[in-house]
Amino acid sequence: MKRNEMGRQNTFDGLSEFLAIAKRQSVRKAALDLEVTPGAISQALQKLERRLGAPLFHRTTRRISLTEAGETLLAKIAPAAQLIETSLGETLQHSNEPSGTLKLIVERLALPHVIEPILPAFREAWPNVKVDITVSNTHGDFIADGYDAGILIGSYIAKEMIAVRLSPPFKWAVFGSPDYFRENGRPRVPGDLTKHQCVRFRRPEKGDIYRWEFLEDGQNVRIEPNGPLTVNDGELMRKIASQGLGLIYSSTFHASRELANGQLEPVLLDYSPGSDGLFLYFTRTTQNQPKLRAFIETCSQLRRSLALASGSSTAHKPK
């Protein structure tokens, strides 16, 4: 064969077929191993023999065996082929092992209820995975920002995302301190709120005042809260309510600590617009990442064993 024709050949052309025939001592069996036709195997072998200028097998109607040139070639390339096969297998195994950096964008109140209990268990189980956490109530285009997943209130997750529940269901309601209710009474219906001092919540991501949402007689009702105090921080809002300075709109998850210690009490639960929850969300293209699958499994295991307490934060509703 001419040198320029030789140069057009791929160096590895025909070698896999040669190795398969040498291993199986049969063109038919080699074809089965490589999932091609016997004709394709024979054609590849013939091209290799023409390229090398020497026959590699003795062929009869009943058997096939290596020639001296074939034995020499096999002795030289078989170890290399085994090394390549082993290396590919190790690489495949490594690609299926969680590794790299898991980038998360997380709402602030998800920290004590989700991240803090889950992170130690995740790091212990997968020490080769680095975790990069951004705490923010404004998620924006988390894909363009390079995040693998986010943690957000379910009702504000885009429909095309895949979501995995991280918290028990919770309800939105109005909350006040026992002292406030003793002095001012309890609202019985949403319309009663016009007679009460309310702490207004300015949403950091939009800058507007959040209107309190209710479901009354099957209709969605939104009320503009009245009051002298306006904040843009959920924790401060709950502290103000705990001091008896007004009513707030929050959830049984956000206010779980204050509810547990008796600082706040809920009202208008029967008018809650529905239950919600805290979710880990991600795209379909990232769901098969080993590092993300490992985090999801750790979340599921911890939730099953510890039964995560009610509470969370949202980028849209007051916290």
Side-chain angles (χ1 to χ4, degrees), residues 233-278:
D233 180 79
E235 185 173 355
L236 175 60
M237 183 179 70
R238 291 190 300 277
K239 287 182 178 178
I240 289 173
S242 298
Q243 294 171 340
L245 298 180
L247 301 180
I248 63 171
Y249 187 88
S250 188
S251 80
T252 53
F253 189 65
H254 300 91
S256 59
R257 181 179 57 189
E258 290 81 6
L259 290 173
N261 61 29
Q263 290 179 299
L264 292 178
E265 297 175 355
V267 292
L268 302 180
L269 278 170
D270 291 340
Y271 297 91
S272 176
S275 63
D276 216 327
L278 190 66

Side-chain angles (χ1 to χ4, degrees), residues 30-42:
L32 290 174
D33 288 348
L34 298 181
E35 298 182 346
V36 296
T37 66
I41 290 283
S42 296

